[in-house]
Amino acid sequence: MRIIAGERRGMKLLSPKSMSTRPITDRVKEAVFSILVNSCSMPGECKVADLFCGTGSLGLEALSRGADYVAFVEQDKQVVEILEQNIEKARFGERCEVISADAFRSGAPVLSAEEKFDLVFVDPPYPTTKDISQNSRIGKLMIILAGQIKQDGLILVRTHKRTVMDDEYGLLEASRRRSWGNMTETFFKLKGEESQETE
């Protein structure tokens, strides 16, 4: 794994020897960020949350590309240690915060009532997304996140390609779906925001 673009382009990321995380491949990460940049959803000076972040690949990529701030949320303490090493290696410590918590409960911890997130990455373990109903763990998380993003904010949820997220969760609606290999990214916006066709 490495940072693809921006001020830390090419920097290799440390990763655990175990299979406790599911790192996103460089090819898929590049495709995801290309979509974000082309849709103006990944401008500089944005505030990002990386939930179930593992070693921080997505959040660190956002920082390298100019994000103002990233909140990393990860529950596994051993993985958090590697995440903190990656942050130190990239020298991004002043622009981010590591929160050791269960993201299903915390969501994206908001900075303040007036200062919410522009972009949220949600990458839970696949077994926890087998049930994607409104009352499931992921469904309840989506309800929480609707109150933690800006009016024009965006939420990306990564699941196995066999899992098809609902089109709506409370105030959120799916605006795009893209699949690569065995994974799918579903893009959500608040209802009323301009939507794009699903793919």
Side-chain angles (χ1 to χ4, degrees):
M1 288 189 301
R2 63 189 175 91
I3 294 176
I4 297 167
E7 57 184 299
R8 297 292 183 269
R9 178 180 180 180
M11 192 193 94
K12 293 183 178 180
L13 300 176
L14 304 173
S15 59
K17 295 180 180 179
S18 70
M19 295 300 291
S20 61
T21 62
R22 295 175 295 105
I24 191 168
T25 66
D26 289 348
R27 180 181 69 86
V28 172
K29 183 166 64 173
E30 185 169 11
V32 168
F33 275 89
S34 292
I35 292 172
L36 293 173
V37 170
N38 291 336
S39 65
C40 298
S41 297
M42 182 61 221
E45 303 180 358
C46 65
K47 291 178 173 57
V48 180
D50 189 357
L51 310 188
F52 311 96
C53 66
T55 54
S57 178
L58 293 171
L60 290 168
E61 185 71 32
L63 287 168
S64 183
R65 291 171 182 254
D68 265 354
Y69 169 86
V70 173
F72 294 95
V73 182
E74 172 58 50
Q75 189 173 26
D76 188 319
K77 296 189 184 309
Q78 291 184 329
V79 175
V80 166
E81 291 180 4
I82 298 174
L83 166 64
E84 291 175 336
Q85 291 175 39
N86 281 328
I87 292 170
E88 182 178 2
K89 182 178 179 181
R91 302 191 298 278
F92 285 148
E94 294 182 357
R95 292 162 53 197
C96 64
E97 182 178 4
V98 177
I99 300 162
S100 182
D102 179 358
F104 281 117
R105 294 181 178 273
S106 67
V110 293
L111 309 176
S112 70
E114 297 78 23
E115 198 170 14
K116 299 180 180 181
F117 289 96
D118 299 281
L119 178 64
V120 179
F121 294 108
V122 182
D123 191 8
Y126 284 162
T128 66
T129 60
K130 288 183 178 179
D131 180 2
I132 45 78
S133 65
Q134 301 290 318
N135 290 320
S136 66
R137 295 181 77 189
I138 188 69
K140 292 177 180 178
L141 172 59
M142 297 299 283
I143 301 301
I144 294 172
L145 292 177
Q148 296 177 324
I149 62 170
K150 294 180 180 178
Q151 187 59 39
D152 58 350
L154 188 66
I155 299 169
L156 273 67
V157 183
R158 179 185 176 196
T159 61
H160 194 279
K161 67 178 181 180
R162 291 194 297 266
T163 299
V164 180
M165 295 286 288
D166 287 356
D167 290 335
E168 297 183 359
Y169 290 91
L171 298 175
L172 295 171
E173 61 182 357
S175 61
R176 182 196 292 261
R177 288 185 176 88
R178 287 291 306 273
S179 295
W180 298 272
N182 68 352
M183 61 157 281
T184 293
E185 288 276 4
T186 307
F187 297 62
F188 286 91
K189 289 186 176 183
L190 289 169
K191 292 178 182 178
E193 289 301 303
E194 183 179 353
S195 296
Q196 302 173 37
E197 292 183 1
T198 57
E199 299 181 12

